[in-house]
Amino acid sequence: MSGPAVAAARVSSPLGDAFHVFDTTLRDGAQREGISYSVADKIAVATLLDEMGVGFIEGGWPGALPKDTEFFARAAAGELALTTATLVAFGATRKAGTRAAQDPQVRALLDSQAAVVTLVAKSDPRHVERALRTTLEENLAMVSDTVELLVGEGRRVFLDLEHFFDGYAADRDYGVRVAEAAIRAGADVAVLCDTNGGMLPLGVHEVVTDVARRTGFRLGIHCQDDTGCAVANTVAAVQAGATHVQCTANGYGERAGNADLFAVLGNLVTKLGLPVLPEGRLVESVRISHALAELANISPDTHQAYVGASAFSHKAGLHASAIRVDPELYNHLDPEEVGNDMHILITEMAGRASVELKAAELGVDLGGRTDVVARVVDTVKQREAQGWSYEAADASFELLLRAELAGSEGTVPVAPFELESYRVIVEHHAARAGDGAGDRTGRHVPAEVLSEATVKVHVGGRRVVATAEGNGPVNALDSALRLALADELPALAGVELTDYKVRLLAGHAGTDSITRVLVASSSTERPGDPDWVTVGVHPNVVEASWQALVDSLVYALQRT
Amino acid sequence: MSGPAVAAARVSSPLGDAFHVFDTTLRDGAQREGISYSVADKIAVATLLDEMGVGFIEGGWPGALPKDTEFFARAAAGELALTTATLVAFGATRKAGTRAAQDPQVRALLDSQAAVVTLVAKSDPRHVERALRTTLEENLAMVSDTVELLVGEGRRVFLDLEHFFDGYAADRDYGVRVAEAAIRAGADVAVLCDTNGGMLPLGVHEVVTDVARRTGFRLGIHCQDDTGCAVANTVAAVQAGATHVQCTANGYGERAGNADLFAVLGNLVTKLGLPVLPEGRLVESVRISHALAELANISPDTHQAYVGASAFSHKAGLHASAIRVDPELYNHLDPEEVGNDMHILITEMAGRASVELKAAELGVDLGGRTDVVARVVDTVKQREAQGWSYEAADASFELLLRAELAGSEGTVPVAPFELESYRVIVEHHAARAGDGAGDRTGRHVPAEVLSEATVKVHVGGRRVVATAEGNGPVNALDSALRLALADELPALAGVELTDYKVRLLAGHAGTDSITRVLVASSSTERPGDPDWVTVGVHPNVVEASWQALVDSLVYALQRT
């Protein structure tokens, strides 16, 4: 994932460049209320999308947002190794009345080193005149100048025709002229965008058919979900000849969101028979959809088409026996094609096959031990019923797998340390009146907030008591634990907590809820290795964090 | 909602009986995992659907489910007074080899006293032979016999052709013969059902067009959402000539769900220009959608098309000023048409225009005070640079806005309470060795985990010290604070914490990280009001939670 860029083996779908699966989760998806990706998140999201097999990953708007600029810099420096996907930078055409080469925003696109650039252009004459406040001709020149400059610098360019469908309704020709300006200047694809999301499928089909017939250009489609039809509109555009689809994971996006990548892929591959992904990738849909939900800190939609935990669950009692005899009569496709399962309760998500696949992926040799696989499936079911989720916590899953394997061999894994107790104290003392600004509830008054943790552990035959302060209870606990273990387990000095996520499950009345914590860790001694993620579940956030922290350290020790 | 049946004035849509909006939330929608309506719930749901203006409400399957039998009995006894809708009973055709008049399930349909009956019939020959285990001819006789009996008893009959589209793919004629058997026997509508939900809109359009052309029958459509296209498929069927749409509120239903009533209505009325609801009802969409979510005990989907709280939210700062000038350029329709609002998200890119729009939305009169707007923009920028985010925390933003406004007027808002200090303790004591299973790190050993909080506050002129336990540090702190405030601020008893989210920002090295907490709260005393969301940011998760909790309580007090 980092270090000098290694030329990874490139993988392509059977359709190759003839069909583009273009993901814009990191750019347009991040417009969803509540999503705020860190640069590390962006790298993790891009890696998952690459595993899904998409052809293009739009990573953000370098030059406009500092985090995006940093993301492209770190990707170019080798922190992101993509195998199927090409990274794409998003940006706008030059400003009116300027030269493209001198537009700092256009320069930032070149500086991002992305091989492909998606340029957004106004294609509705009302937007040109009322929002951009320039002439229709100058807008065309802005498009052709900018495309020409980027193509001249060796970039591949896709043009997003913003508000295309609304523009087409008002004026059938102007948007087409914008597309012509771009294609003549060297752009590869003219992407028709339903930016306001007000279209319906038959209308999209008609417009795409007309534009394809009139221009012969390679067309793409980008749909928002304001009519609840983004997926259908995207598919209808493909049926009308579009060969480039812009989607976001789980449909994340502004307002009602975008076309959901997983539903679009399911429909294109299984309904239209278009092999738009590399072999063997569609089956990753459920895993990757859920992992991306975790990274966005959004609960997966249990009823999402194709990938929802309930997408193939049958409740209707009248069908139960018939379903057992003839499952194909009651499912629109075999759920395994997308990595889903028909017997869905969340506890039954982990089948034997996925455990075996996962073990192979993690490099754990189960040696054909079907009894171990069965026990792991049982344990996962039990744990998931209690709120655990291993979908984004491979390291915890690997520990569970190895523990079951060791148990089956009659050996008990020796724990590197044993907890007797911990205590965490957080204290807040308001500063004295007049010490600072802020209202009198103490919200924004500078206050002293202290966290202190004491742990008592048994390690290397000794009982150790250690106390540490921290900037929060989990940090204090982490520090105290490391302090207690430092002498006996010096390898832990290189383990660093890089991310920490908390989710409250069973969303009613905080008091009854279960807390799930995900901790991502990395090794300062092995900077090239990927982060590892562990999970803890408990009604108490400190205890759930403790569990995930302990898993993280045990995992680190086991690897060394 | 109850009492003796009053002959309410009947209301109809401008299209009258020429177009049926048929809701099946109470029958097919209740197949969704987790939904379990009581009879009282069913009466409340039907009342809301009637307020929405649907033409038909399928109430359940009398005779098959005791709750449904009771619901129809209580409705017939006058507990349900409908003004636009007609109540419909759902049931199956007679069993093979029996007489309709003697089939107890058919009798129960008559006994329900529903004026309209939806009969479900197999229309895929494979289902007839393999699931029903009868002949294709007997199935036709079952349909015509049952329809004839019900029509003879004065009932109006709609026929649901189960698995019609899959059947059509296998045999273009058999499903049409089933429809013919029903229509000849007196049924009014042949409803084509995509029971497995595997269709796409162009395919639905083609099949409906073909069946309409071949039969001339009045056709209906019923779509499941397994391809994510149920809404689009329903609309496409209408565009092909169907004049009866079966939907469920918020798309509730088995697997991926059904066609969402609110999106279908929004599309039919605002996109196709079909006046399928009585005048003035579409504007009820948001209210009724959310109320129905409450009754189903499911959190409303904030990103649902038309009715989601975020369905018209704009985040992209670059558009905010343009949106203010020309809102119709950036929305696919005026949100007020469906009772929604154009929310503006306050983000990193917030400008003055966004703040002004947001203040107007929150009902805070800035009275043209551009100095206040400028100061709010500055404060938001500073805060956001420190990790605050107001885009999901309207209540905290409103407090900030009001504080700046008050400050500018030389008044200092009086805080309802003042914090002196708090202390939170979390303790974990491992159970003794041998007490339980699990590895020796204590991860899965049953352990005692205790949380206790003490707060010292000044409220109503008194100094109050209170201590409480909780199932986690934040819960303990929340409980202690409420305990301390209970006597002086009894209004807070009705405030309930409904959701709690934690996010670690600046994703490097846990120790340097900032924690952002979002707390959602609701009022048990004002159950119809939306939840309010507050935010806290601090390196310490307990302190960040404290800030969000305090904002939540201050906001609640300010409203009362």
Side-chain angles (χ1 to χ4, degrees):
Chain A
M1 214 165 108
S2 74
V6 177
R10 298 296 298 178
V11 180
S12 162
S13 82
L15 292 175
D17 195 58
F19 196 99
H20 295 173
V21 177
F22 180 108
D23 181 276
T24 178
T25 305
L26 290 173
R27 202 270 307 168
D28 216 23
Q31 296 292 320
R32 178 180 159 125
E33 210 173 322
I35 288 189
S36 173
Y37 291 123
S38 67
V39 175
D41 286 338
K42 281 180 160 262
I43 289 171
V45 168
T47 302
L48 285 163
L49 290 167
D50 189 58
E51 290 174 19
M52 189 67 217
V54 308
F56 297 90
I57 297 171
E58 192 167 71
W61 191 339
L65 298 171
K67 270 196 305 199
D68 289 1
T69 307
E70 185 189 339
F71 167 70
F72 280 96
R74 287 171 59 177
E79 276 194 60
L80 180 63
L82 300 176
T83 60
T84 68
T86 300
L87 195 60
V88 182
F90 174 90
T93 56
R94 69 161 172 82
K95 284 206 185 335
T98 65
R99 293 168 56 89
Q102 268 127 45
D103 188 312
Q105 187 262 144
V106 176
R107 296 290 338 159
L109 291 173
L110 291 170
D111 292 345
S112 76
Q113 298 187 49
V116 180
V117 172
T118 303
L119 271 190
V120 62
K122 301 277 183 209
S123 64
D124 179 333
R126 296 165 305 174
H127 280 265
V128 174
E129 290 168 344
R130 283 149 68 179
L132 214 54
R133 295 174 192 235
T134 188
T135 65
L136 299 181
E137 290 306 318
E138 171 64 3
N139 183 50
L140 296 176
M142 286 153 63
V143 170
S144 53
D145 287 358
T146 315
V147 172
E148 208 166 278
L149 176 79
L150 293 171
V151 170
E153 296 283 344
R155 303 305 193 275
R156 186 174 188 183
V157 177
F158 304 150
L159 191 80
D160 271 8
L161 294 147
E162 205 186 30
H163 297 287
F164 183 85
F165 290 90
D166 294 345
Y168 181 95
D171 174 348
R172 286 177 74 250
D173 296 320
Y174 184 70
V176 170
R177 288 177 62 202
V178 178
E180 277 167 358
I183 300 286
R184 284 206 194 116
D188 268 356
V189 185
V191 184
L192 314 186
C193 301
D194 183 19
T195 310
N196 287 346
M199 294 297 291
L200 298 174
L202 295 182
V204 169
H205 190 268
E206 192 181 312
V207 173
V208 174
T209 301
D210 178 57
V211 174
R213 185 185 53 70
R214 284 160 64 194
T215 65
F217 295 160
R218 178 167 194 173
L219 300 181
I221 184 76
H222 175 118
C223 296
Q224 301 291 134
D225 201 31
D226 299 77
T227 61
C229 295
V231 168
N233 288 345
T234 303
V235 171
V238 171
Q239 290 175 299
T243 56
H244 169 117
V245 292
Q246 298 195 350
C247 304
T248 65
N250 305 323
Y252 297 146
E254 199 172 37
R255 306 192 309 277
N258 290 48
D260 170 25
L261 175 70
F262 301 103
V264 168
L265 289 174
N267 288 333
L268 295 180
V269 175
T270 74
K271 304 300 173 194
L272 301 188
L274 293 171
V276 302
L277 288 178
E279 280 293 327
R281 299 298 180 93
L282 192 66
V283 73
E284 299 292 332
S285 299
V286 168
R287 174 179 75 84
I288 290 175
S289 162
H290 293 200
L292 289 169
E294 289 295 335
L295 282 165
N297 206 12
I298 292 170
S299 300
D301 175 2
T302 52
H303 294 265
Q304 194 173 341
Y306 290 99
V307 297
S310 298
F312 296 89
S313 71
H314 290 272
K315 181 170 170 182
L318 78 160
H319 285 158
S321 60
I323 290 170
R324 214 171 297 131
V325 179
D326 269 327
E328 76 279 12
L329 287 186
Y330 296 91
N331 284 322
H332 71 109
L333 89 162
D334 180 350
E336 287 182 9
E337 287 191 46
V338 290
N340 215 329
D341 199 307
M342 189 171 89
H343 308 291
I344 285 310
L345 299 172
I346 185 88
T347 55
E348 293 178 79
M349 283 293 289
R352 303 168 68 100
S354 44
V355 167
E356 282 168 9
L357 278 170
K358 195 77 200 172
E361 182 193 323
L362 296 171
V364 179
D365 182 7
L366 295 177
R369 295 288 302 270
T370 55
D371 57 326
V372 175
V373 173
R375 238 186 356 265
V376 171
V377 171
D378 283 349
T379 305
V380 169
K381 281 180 187 172
Q382 282 172 28
R383 292 271 178 85
E384 291 197 340
Q386 295 160 21
W388 295 75
S389 169
Y390 290 97
E391 279 163 3
D394 277 2
S396 285
F397 184 73
E398 186 176 329
L399 291 178
L400 183 156
L401 212 54
R402 291 192 188 280
E404 293 288 358
L405 196 60
S408 77
E409 285 159 358
T411 60
V412 177
V414 177
F417 57 91
E418 195 175 335
L419 176 72
E420 183 182 308
S421 69
Y422 68 69
R423 180 183 65 237
V424 178
I425 302 173
V426 179
E427 286 182 289
H428 168 129
H429 293 280
R432 285 190 212 149
D435 277 9
D439 64 55
R440 301 205 311 228
T441 56
R443 271 183 56 229
H444 304 118
V445 177
E448 210 177 9
V449 183
L450 295 172
S451 299
E452 178 196 301
T454 300
V455 301
K456 301 178 184 179
V457 296
H458 297 261
V459 58
R462 296 195 300 142
R463 177 170 182 269
V464 184
V465 177
T467 296
E469 291 186 316
N471 62 6
V474 176
N475 178 240
L477 193 56
D478 184 40
S479 300
L481 178 59
R482 286 154 186 272
L483 184 63
L485 302 179
D487 285 350
E488 296 288 336
L489 302 168
L492 295 180
V495 175
E496 196 177 66
L497 174 65
T498 55
D499 199 9
Y500 173 74
K501 287 194 171 79
V502 179
R503 158 104 21 98
L504 206 75
L505 305 173
H508 242 314
T511 47
D512 303 335
S513 299
I514 297 292
T515 307
R516 183 163 69 215
V517 166
L518 291 173
V519 164
S521 310
S522 68
S523 166
T524 54
E525 279 155 20
R526 299 172 167 207
D529 282 12
D531 289 6
W532 61 95
V533 179
T534 53
V535 61
V537 171
H538 197 271
N540 188 314
V541 62
V542 174
E543 176 67 11
S545 305
W546 167 262
Q547 294 169 351
L549 286 173
V550 168
D551 261 16
S552 169
L553 300 184
V554 171
Y555 180 84
L557 289 167
Q558 190 179 280
R559 291 199 316 173
T560 51
Chain B
M1 212 166 107
S2 72
V6 176
R10 298 296 296 177
V11 179
S12 162
S13 81
L15 291 176
D17 195 58
F19 197 98
H20 294 173
V21 176
F22 181 107
D23 181 277
T24 178
T25 305
L26 291 173
R27 202 270 306 168
D28 215 24
Q31 297 292 319
R32 177 176 160 130
E33 225 174 290
I35 288 189
S36 173
Y37 290 123
S38 67
V39 175
D41 286 339
K42 282 180 160 264
I43 289 170
V45 168
T47 303
L48 284 163
L49 290 167
D50 188 59
E51 290 173 18
M52 189 68 216
V54 308
F56 297 91
I57 297 172
E58 192 168 71
W61 191 339
L65 300 169
K67 267 197 309 197
D68 290 1
T69 307
E70 184 188 339
F71 167 70
F72 280 96
R74 286 170 61 178
E79 277 194 59
L80 181 65
L82 301 176
T83 59
T84 68
T86 300
L87 197 59
V88 182
F90 174 88
T93 56
R94 70 162 171 81
K95 282 205 185 337
T98 66
R99 292 167 58 90
Q102 270 127 46
D103 189 311
Q105 187 264 143
V106 177
R107 296 283 347 152
L109 291 173
L110 292 169
D111 294 344
S112 77
Q113 299 186 49
V116 181
V117 172
T118 303
L119 272 190
V120 63
K122 301 280 182 206
S123 64
D124 178 335
R126 296 166 305 175
H127 280 266
V128 174
E129 291 168 343
R130 284 149 69 177
L132 215 52
R133 295 175 191 236
T134 189
T135 64
L136 299 181
E137 291 306 318
E138 171 64 3
N139 183 51
L140 296 176
M142 287 153 63
V143 170
S144 54
D145 287 358
T146 315
V147 171
E148 210 166 275
L149 176 78
L150 294 171
V151 171
E153 296 283 342
R155 303 305 192 273
R156 185 175 190 181
V157 178
F158 303 149
L159 190 80
D160 271 7
L161 294 147
E162 204 187 30
H163 296 287
F164 183 85
F165 290 90
D166 295 345
Y168 182 95
D171 174 346
R172 287 178 71 249
D173 296 321
Y174 184 72
V176 170
R177 288 177 61 203
V178 178
E180 277 167 359
I183 299 287
R184 283 203 194 122
D188 268 356
V189 185
V191 183
L192 313 187
C193 301
D194 184 19
T195 311
N196 287 346
M199 295 297 291
L200 299 173
L202 295 183
V204 169
H205 190 268
E206 192 180 313
V207 173
V208 174
T209 301
D210 179 57
V211 174
R213 185 185 53 73
R214 283 161 63 192
T215 66
F217 296 159
R218 179 168 192 172
L219 300 181
I221 184 77
H222 175 117
C223 296
Q224 301 290 134
D225 201 31
D226 299 77
T227 61
C229 295
V231 168
N233 288 344
T234 302
V235 172
V238 171
Q239 290 175 298
T243 56
H244 168 117
V245 292
Q246 297 195 349
C247 305
T248 65
N250 306 323
Y252 298 146
E254 200 173 37
R255 307 192 310 278
N258 290 46
D260 170 25
L261 175 69
F262 301 102
V264 168
L265 289 174
N267 289 332
L268 294 181
V269 175
T270 73
K271 303 303 172 191
L272 301 189
L274 293 171
V276 301
L277 288 177
E279 280 292 326
R281 300 298 180 95
L282 192 67
V283 73
E284 299 292 332
S285 299
V286 167
R287 175 180 74 84
I288 291 175
S289 162
H290 292 201
L292 290 169
E294 288 297 328
L295 282 166
N297 203 16
I298 291 169
S299 300
D301 174 2
T302 51
H303 294 265
Q304 193 174 340
Y306 291 99
V307 296
S310 299
F312 296 89
S313 293
H314 290 271
K315 181 168 173 181
L318 76 160
H319 283 160
S321 56
I323 290 170
R324 196 174 39 170
V325 178
D326 270 326
E328 78 278 12
L329 286 187
Y330 296 91
N331 285 321
H332 70 110
L333 88 163
D334 179 350
E336 287 181 10
E337 288 191 45
V338 291
N340 214 331
D341 282 313
M342 187 171 73
H343 294 274
I344 300 294
L345 307 181
I346 298 301
T347 72
E348 295 156 52
M349 294 183 288
R352 304 166 67 100
S354 308
V355 167
E356 281 170 10
L357 281 169
K358 191 75 199 177
E361 181 193 321
L362 294 172
V364 178
D365 181 8
L366 295 177
R369 295 287 302 269
T370 54
D371 56 326
V372 175
V373 173
R375 238 188 353 266
V376 171
V377 170
D378 283 351
T379 306
V380 168
K381 280 188 182 159
Q382 279 171 32
R383 290 273 178 85
E384 292 199 337
Q386 294 160 22
W388 294 76
S389 169
Y390 290 97
E391 68 181 48
D394 275 4
S396 285
F397 183 72
E398 186 175 329
L399 292 178
L400 183 156
L401 212 53
R402 292 192 188 279
E404 293 287 0
L405 198 58
S408 79
E409 287 160 358
T411 61
V412 177
V414 177
F417 57 91
E418 195 175 336
L419 176 72
E420 182 183 310
S421 69
Y422 68 70
R423 180 182 66 236
V424 178
I425 302 174
V426 178
E427 285 182 290
H428 167 129
H429 293 281
R432 285 190 211 150
D435 279 7
D439 64 52
R440 302 205 312 228
T441 55
R443 269 184 56 229
H444 303 118
V445 176
E448 209 177 10
V449 183
L450 296 172
S451 300
E452 178 196 302
T454 300
V455 300
K456 301 178 184 178
V457 295
H458 298 260
V459 58
R462 296 195 300 141
R463 177 170 182 268
V464 185
V465 177
T467 296
E469 290 186 316
N471 63 6
V474 177
N475 179 239
L477 192 55
D478 184 39
S479 300
L481 177 59
R482 284 155 186 273
L483 184 62
L485 302 179
D487 285 348
E488 296 288 337
L489 302 168
L492 296 180
V495 175
E496 196 177 66
L497 174 64
T498 55
D499 199 9
Y500 174 74
K501 287 198 172 76
V502 180
R503 181 94 172 120
L504 203 77
L505 306 172
H508 249 310
T511 46
D512 303 336
S513 299
I514 297 292
T515 307
R516 181 163 67 215
V517 167
L518 290 174
V519 164
S521 309
S522 69
S523 166
T524 54
E525 280 155 19
R526 299 175 169 206
D529 281 13
D531 289 6
W532 61 94
V533 180
T534 52
V535 59
V537 172
H538 197 270
N540 188 315
V541 63
V542 174
E543 177 66 13
S545 304
W546 166 262
Q547 294 169 351
L549 287 173
V550 168
D551 262 14
S552 168
L553 300 184
V554 171
Y555 181 83
L557 290 168
Q558 189 179 281
R559 291 199 318 173
T560 50

